[in-house]
Amino acid sequence: MSLTLPPVDELGDTARDTAGTASDQPVNLVVEPSVAVVNATVKDRTYHGADAAAAGCLAAATTVAAGSQNARLQYSDPTAEATGPWLVVAPLAGHLSTVATGSGHATVSVGVSDENVHTRLGDVRDAVDAVLTAAQPSHDVYPVAEDDAGVFTNGMTTFDFNGATETALGVDITFDVSITPATTTDRVEATFEDIDAVTAVDYEPTDDVSVAEPTEECRAQVEDAVCRVLGDAQYEWLPGPGTFSSLANETRFAFGMATTGTPYDETTFERDVEVLTAIVETLGGIR
Amino acid sequence: MRTVAEPIVGSEVTVKPATDGITINGIPADLDHARKADVRVDLATDRQRAFITEHVLGVLGLHGIEAAAVTGRVSEWSFDRPEHRFCYAAGLPPSSVVGHPAGLPNPDLSTALADADIVGTADETRTTVSEPVTVTTEQGSITVEPREYGEGIRFDVTYEDAEITAEIDPKAANDPGLIEDITSATTPYLSPDTTTAVTHSLADLLSDIAVIGGFDDLRVTVDLDDSYHTLTIGLPRAAHERGVIDRRE
């Protein structure tokens, strides 16, 4: 198979055309993240730019849908209630996925009572620093501070600073929280419990961890399809809630060869199309 | 074959007596079942998988264990570990992960094996290569050469700026001091320095070349870089493909 990466500026129109011509096919194919405009360029048969991986996912999904009797491309707004199995094309670096992490919000209230304004400001600043430090991922063994690829942190409860609001007694610091099946209110509160100035921790999950539960037969056949092309089927979690999480059907998988933040070349594209086609044909045969 | 007389327990696994080779969670420890083989080595069948097996198999090799039924005993999820996330997504139990959480060649298991009653006699069939084999990848280069019957494996290993040499017989008890050094050395990804990393690599090499690869008498000269299991599992595979396996009694 020899494929050429399509021009970036044609990706959206081609995807819309493809989506409109295959509405009766059994397997729903959708791209995550769904992008209408792609910030990427083509050079040396490779997508470059911040959205190179997203562009690759869209190109691969569109190519597979256009060439398959089983794939129904859902672009750009997927119809979540559509019947049939779902295959979400996401930048998963060649992994399968049936799990997406969830999200929540946490507000950490810091209060100090000293009425001396200068001392009070210093205490508040120290307390805020302590809260922000406590919010950083930490681990006894794993180098999570340099874990840009999420090797470890993708499975940890993590806190992303969202903002701070002054209150009568100090500051409310808010975080976006990435949650796992192990995240609990007690564990979130425990993150900040050693800081004396913390007066309250308010945690609220907004999107639960999403776990698909395909049948054993379906899972085995999809893994076999991936193995036939890649030699092995490996799993990783989708980072954060998104399209995958919004789908109700238990027969849903995610897969993609792209890696966020890296270029997407034609070799990756060809491999993506090959694996995705194998999965689509498998899911189409299971229905 | 040398095996344990009674079941023993390490930090992630239980090891029970067996009569014919080593299995982990029922999966034979051999080249046919070796999967992934880059930053770690998994053993897999259609719907079973054992993760980070080198941290168990290397220890068994250091103690000259030839037959054992190993089962994982972890029951709680540790989602910071990518292997646990894999299992959770694939519908596999956490006991599928048999590698040590701190990246060590299971020191608890090694201590238990040192104290255990080992029974049986070593298999008299010993394997070497009939001619030198070299494999070179982006992860480094490895060469194995024939060695006389019963001489065991001599490793000359380079990892970045660190070097180590060791003599290990995978069918006999080995030097307790060497075993202590190896089982207290963290995996290169988590190692504080290259000396620790190269020491750890001896467990990985023993697992991949001797236990999974099936060799007993070799001279191994290897220059390692990251993700080196591609290389160290690739070598025995290449030897089999080239038909240079020499089994002797």
Side-chain angles (χ1 to χ4, degrees):
Chain A
M1 179 167 50
S2 179
L3 297 172
T4 301
L5 279 170
V8 172
D9 57 3
E10 295 178 7
L11 284 174
D13 289 343
T14 306
R16 267 183 287 275
D17 291 346
T18 304
T21 58
S23 59
D24 59 344
Q25 306 304 340
V27 181
N28 298 285
L29 198 59
V30 64
V31 173
E32 181 164 69
S34 181
V35 287
V37 178
V38 175
N39 178 17
T41 56
V42 183
K43 183 181 179 185
D44 298 330
R45 297 184 167 190
T46 301
Y47 289 153
H48 297 270
D51 289 339
C57 289
L58 183 55
T62 304
T63 302
V64 170
S68 172
Q69 294 300 309
N70 283 315
R72 170 173 47 184
L73 183 65
Q74 296 269 0
Y75 183 84
S76 60
D77 295 317
T79 306
E81 60 271 21
T83 58
W86 286 81
L87 177 57
V88 178
V89 186
L92 278 161
H95 293 84
L96 272 169
S97 190
T98 58
V99 176
T101 60
S103 64
H105 297 297
T107 300
V108 181
S109 298
V110 167
V112 293
S113 57
D114 195 322
E115 293 185 359
N116 180 315
V117 67
H118 298 294
T119 307
R120 184 167 181 272
L121 281 174
D123 289 347
V124 168
R125 188 170 56 241
D126 290 347
V128 169
D129 286 346
V131 168
L132 294 177
T133 299
Q136 294 298 311
S138 65
H139 197 281
D140 292 341
V141 176
Y142 305 144
V144 294
E146 307 95 61
D147 186 21
D148 296 334
V151 173
F152 308 108
T153 53
N154 194 30
M156 298 172 66
T157 303
T158 56
F159 300 85
D160 188 14
F161 176 72
N162 181 273
T165 307
E166 186 176 359
T167 65
L169 291 177
V171 177
D172 280 353
I173 306 161
T174 58
F175 296 98
D176 296 325
V177 187
S178 178
I179 68 176
T180 81
T183 305
T184 63
T185 300
D186 286 348
R187 289 193 180 191
V188 170
E189 291 175 350
T191 305
F192 307 99
E193 68 184 359
D194 291 336
I195 304 169
D196 290 340
V198 170
T199 58
V201 177
D202 180 30
Y203 164 65
E204 185 177 354
T206 51
D207 291 284
D208 288 337
V209 174
S210 180
V211 183
E213 294 181 352
T215 64
E216 280 299 304
E217 178 193 12
C218 178
R219 183 193 292 279
Q221 292 191 30
V222 168
E223 290 176 3
D224 286 347
V226 176
C227 277
R228 284 198 297 275
V229 181
L230 298 181
D232 194 9
Q234 301 183 51
Y235 285 86
E236 180 53 284
W237 292 0
L238 287 155
T243 304
F244 182 88
S245 309
S246 71
L247 305 171
N249 196 319
E250 289 306 335
T251 304
R252 57 195 159 115
F253 292 87
F255 178 85
M257 295 299 299
T259 301
T260 300
T262 65
Y264 185 89
D265 62 23
E266 281 190 350
T267 301
T268 308
F269 177 53
E270 289 179 357
R271 188 55 64 91
D272 233 346
V273 170
E274 193 174 1
V275 181
L276 291 167
T277 299
I279 299 173
V280 162
E281 299 313 316
T282 294
L283 289 173
I286 290 172
R287 66 190 163 115
Chain B
M1 287 188 168
R2 286 166 53 86
T3 187
V4 291
E6 302 287 340
I8 63 168
V9 177
S11 62
E12 314 296 309
V13 293
T14 298
V15 177
K16 295 179 180 175
T19 56
D20 186 20
I22 296 171
T23 59
I24 300 183
N25 292 345
I27 309 167
D30 58 29
L31 287 172
D32 288 342
H33 295 87
R35 291 271 184 88
K36 189 166 170 66
D38 44 31
V39 296
R40 65 172 195 261
V41 178
D42 298 342
L43 297 173
T45 60
D46 287 345
R47 284 297 297 145
Q48 294 291 326
R49 193 167 181 122
F51 296 76
I52 326 177
T53 58
E54 68 274 19
H55 287 178
V56 174
L57 299 178
V59 176
L60 295 178
L62 285 168
H63 288 272
I65 301 298
E66 301 172 273
V70 180
T71 52
R73 52 188 292 269
V74 173
S75 58
E76 294 190 3
W77 293 111
S78 299
F79 294 128
D80 46 11
R81 305 181 71 181
E83 299 83 11
H84 276 242
R85 298 197 298 274
F86 185 144
C87 290
Y88 191 81
L92 299 171
S95 57
S96 303
V97 182
V98 297
H100 193 276
L104 294 168
N106 203 317
D108 287 351
L109 175 62
S110 184
T111 300
L113 284 168
D115 294 338
D117 186 13
I118 307 299
V119 296
T121 55
D123 183 3
E124 292 183 356
T125 301
R126 297 184 66 100
T127 303
T128 188
V129 286
S130 56
E131 60 185 63
V133 178
T134 297
V135 171
T136 301
T137 71
E138 292 180 356
Q139 288 75 36
S141 176
I142 184 168
T143 296
V144 297
E145 298 166 82
R147 225 175 173 204
E148 293 298 318
Y149 181 92
E151 286 191 336
I153 303 179
R154 176 187 170 90
F155 293 102
D156 292 291
V157 189
T158 302
Y159 182 87
E160 297 183 4
D161 62 344
E163 297 178 356
I164 196 166
T165 295
E167 293 273 359
I168 301 172
D169 187 341
K171 288 186 170 177
N174 288 283
D175 173 22
L178 175 65
I179 294 174
E180 169 71 20
D181 288 345
I182 295 172
T183 57
S184 58
T186 46
T187 188
Y189 191 64
L190 302 174
S191 288
D193 52 63
T194 54
T195 300
T196 304
V198 77
T199 305
H200 176 98
S201 76
L202 289 171
D204 293 342
L205 284 159
L206 192 62
S207 174
D208 293 358
I209 293 172
V211 181
I212 291 178
F215 288 107
D216 309 297
D217 301 316
L218 283 178
R219 174 160 187 164
V220 179
T221 306
V222 57
D223 186 359
L224 298 173
D225 204 337
D226 292 338
S227 307
Y228 53 65
H229 291 287
T230 307
L231 188 69
T232 53
I233 285 289
L235 186 286
R237 283 197 167 127
H240 279 271
E241 287 168 5
R242 294 176 198 178
V244 296
I245 307 300
D246 185 7
R247 294 187 176 89
R248 305 165 297 184
E249 292 190 11

